[in-house]
Amino acid sequence: LSVKPGEYDFYFTYGASKQVPVVFKGKVTASKSYYLAHTDFLPAEVTVYANKDQLDKVNYVEIEPFNMRNLQDTIHRSVPIKKIRGMKIVPQMVRLAVYPDVLTEESVEVPVTAINMPDNMVLRTFPSKVAVRFTIGASLFRTIKPSQFKVVVDYNDLANNPSDKCHLQLRSVPRSVSKAHLELETVDYLLEQQ
């Protein structure tokens, strides 16, 4: 007829608290030709009240697992913070925003640079710039500059493997791009002695 608990747990502090960031937990997938640009929390940090030992051990809090598939539009949801025994978390709910973005294929013209060149030699390539194609979110494309890419010809390769054409290497790309590749793998070149 009734249930009476045999014991209660009471937690108390002397007002000790700590600000910690909120971390996403779960799985969100975007629709085909979309990708997840980023997620935001409002507030991004919450206050945790607990005793000093517990506060020293906690560096972040997680939301309750949040799952969504085939996302195409930005979503805003109120989500609860995962409870931690013996801690009070304020606020207990945060606003989650998930921003998908359309993937697009773009290209930029990048100058070819020579590496490991002797001081008395100059390398000239024809053409002097090559196109680098890549996939990126449409909203991020305007942040991309050709100077963020590096296309090189290694003089050591030319010296070891003489040929009519030189092989190009894509050495660095911005973190926000994917599937970066050169439109031309080889170009004509001329070595000039100074």
Side-chain angles (χ1 to χ4, degrees):
L1 295 176
S2 65
V3 176
K4 294 181 181 178
E7 61 181 51
Y8 292 95
D9 290 329
F10 292 95
Y11 298 95
F12 68 93
T13 70
Y14 294 101
S17 66
K18 182 179 180 180
Q19 289 277 112
V20 293
V22 179
V23 174
F24 182 84
K25 185 174 185 181
K27 188 173 183 182
V28 178
T29 58
S31 293
K32 192 176 179 183
S33 77
Y34 284 79
Y35 82 107
L36 296 178
H38 66 281
T39 58
D40 279 337
F41 289 106
L42 189 65
E45 291 188 339
V46 294
T47 305
V48 177
Y49 295 90
N51 63 47
K52 187 178 183 311
D53 289 342
Q54 282 183 297
L55 286 179
D56 289 343
K57 291 176 186 172
V58 67
N59 295 314
Y60 61 87
V61 293
E62 296 177 338
I63 61 169
E64 289 287 347
F66 181 86
N67 300 303
M68 183 166 278
R69 293 181 354 182
N70 297 324
L71 195 63
Q72 289 184 356
D73 297 319
T74 300
I75 59 160
H76 297 272
R77 297 280 165 84
S78 290
V79 291
I81 301 289
K82 189 175 181 182
K83 290 179 171 57
I84 303 173
R85 187 176 172 86
M87 291 189 182
K88 180 180 180 182
I89 302 169
V90 179
Q92 294 178 335
M93 299 278 286
V94 292
R95 193 88 171 142
L96 166 66
V98 182
Y99 300 93
D101 194 6
V102 178
L103 283 171
T104 179
E105 189 173 57
E106 301 289 349
S107 71
V108 291
E109 291 282 317
V110 179
V112 177
T113 55
I115 59 171
N116 299 320
M117 290 294 293
D119 292 337
N120 63 338
M121 300 286 279
V122 174
L123 176 77
R124 301 195 192 285
T125 62
F126 306 96
S128 60
K129 291 183 176 182
V130 291
V132 178
R133 296 197 72 78
F134 54 90
T135 304
I136 191 170
S139 64
L140 292 174
F141 176 63
R142 62 180 171 273
T143 67
I144 297 298
K145 298 178 181 65
S147 59
Q148 295 172 288
F149 296 83
K150 189 169 184 182
V151 177
V152 302
V153 174
D154 191 339
Y155 177 78
N156 292 335
D157 290 345
L158 297 177
N160 295 333
N161 303 298
S163 173
D164 293 341
K165 293 183 179 288
C166 60
H167 187 72
L168 302 176
Q169 299 172 33
L170 182 58
R171 284 284 175 94
S172 63
V173 298
R175 291 172 97 184
S176 53
V177 310
S178 60
K179 299 180 183 172
H181 63 279
L182 294 165
E183 279 196 346
L184 293 174
E185 295 287 330
T186 59
V187 292
D188 293 322
Y189 72 97
L190 183 66
L191 282 171
E192 291 181 359
Q193 193 160 6
Q194 290 186 324

